Amino acid sequence: MIDPRHDGVDAETRKRADEAAGALLLQDVRRPAGGAGAGEHEGRDLGEVEYVAEGRSRALRELPAPAGARAVVEALVGLYTGPLFRAALHLWVAASNEPQLGPRVTDLEARMGRETHRMAVELLGVDERRPGVRETVQGLLDMARGLGLANLLTDDSARRERVVAQWARLLESTLHD
């Protein structure tokens, strides 16, 4: 299993992602949505949105070409269990309370979703024109995102390992018949 602490994200990016996540969470807790002072952080928030989005895009582009479905599933799950996804989640929370952030975060997440899907198809070496392939890849990404959410509060690595192994078996039998 790919260790999310060693997922190819450099130390500076990891540090900034963690700081961004923490800062956004604290400011979210400290100020009411739309209240006085809410707009003063807009520039910083948008900068953090861009920074986290670029870090996630870079991590996606730098995924090594894994050999086999298990390695692909591990790599994709690693994207959702690492610090950049955690920072993105905090941005989602901030965007849900900040009207000026919502459209920007939504646009960036739509782009990330398309990029991640395209990369998953490429890494799996599958043809989306075949019936069921697109839906299977989307299910894989939904599962990976769910494992990322489960990993937020507790170390879910033992269960995650079993789920990754099962998804690898499913992908092998479903996509490569």
Side-chain angles (χ1 to χ4, degrees):
M1 174 65 86
I2 290 179
D3 183 345
R5 293 168 304 205
H6 300 91
D7 55 6
V9 178
D10 63 70
E12 180 61 23
T13 298
R14 185 178 316 286
K15 180 177 180 258
R16 287 198 54 193
D18 287 342
E19 288 171 356
L24 285 165
L25 181 60
L26 284 175
Q27 79 186 36
D28 230 22
V29 169
R30 290 181 183 152
R31 71 169 189 257
E40 70 188 48
H41 297 288
E42 179 180 349
R44 181 171 177 274
D45 289 347
L46 289 175
E48 297 298 344
V49 168
E50 292 288 341
Y51 182 81
V52 170
E54 178 50 38
R56 290 176 69 205
S57 285
R58 187 175 49 255
L60 184 61
R61 288 188 307 268
E62 293 172 356
L63 279 177
R70 173 78 183 242
V72 173
V73 175
E74 287 175 350
L76 292 170
V77 168
L79 290 175
Y80 291 104
T81 55
L84 290 170
F85 182 68
R86 181 180 293 265
L89 289 175
H90 289 292
L91 289 172
W92 294 358
V93 171
S96 72
N97 292 313
E98 297 289 334
Q100 71 276 11
L101 282 178
R104 187 69 186 129
V105 171
T106 300
D107 289 347
L108 288 168
E109 285 304 317
R111 188 188 84 211
M112 278 304 305
R114 288 187 302 273
E115 285 183 37
T116 306
H117 188 95
R118 182 190 53 73
M119 181 59 77
V121 167
E122 184 179 314
L123 292 172
L124 289 166
V126 295
D127 181 358
E128 276 196 300
R129 295 174 296 192
R130 287 184 49 215
V133 169
R134 180 170 186 71
E135 294 78 8
T136 301
V137 171
Q138 192 57 53
L140 166 64
L141 296 175
D142 290 345
M143 177 277 303
R145 217 175 356 264
L147 290 176
L149 291 171
N151 193 53
L152 283 175
L153 297 176
T154 61
D155 178 5
D156 196 25
S157 55
R159 183 178 72 90
R160 185 170 58 242
E161 185 74 25
R162 293 188 306 275
V163 171
V164 165
Q166 179 61 24
W167 263 91
R169 288 188 292 273
L170 289 169
L171 291 173
E172 286 292 336
S173 66
T174 304
L175 298 178
H176 299 289
D177 50 359

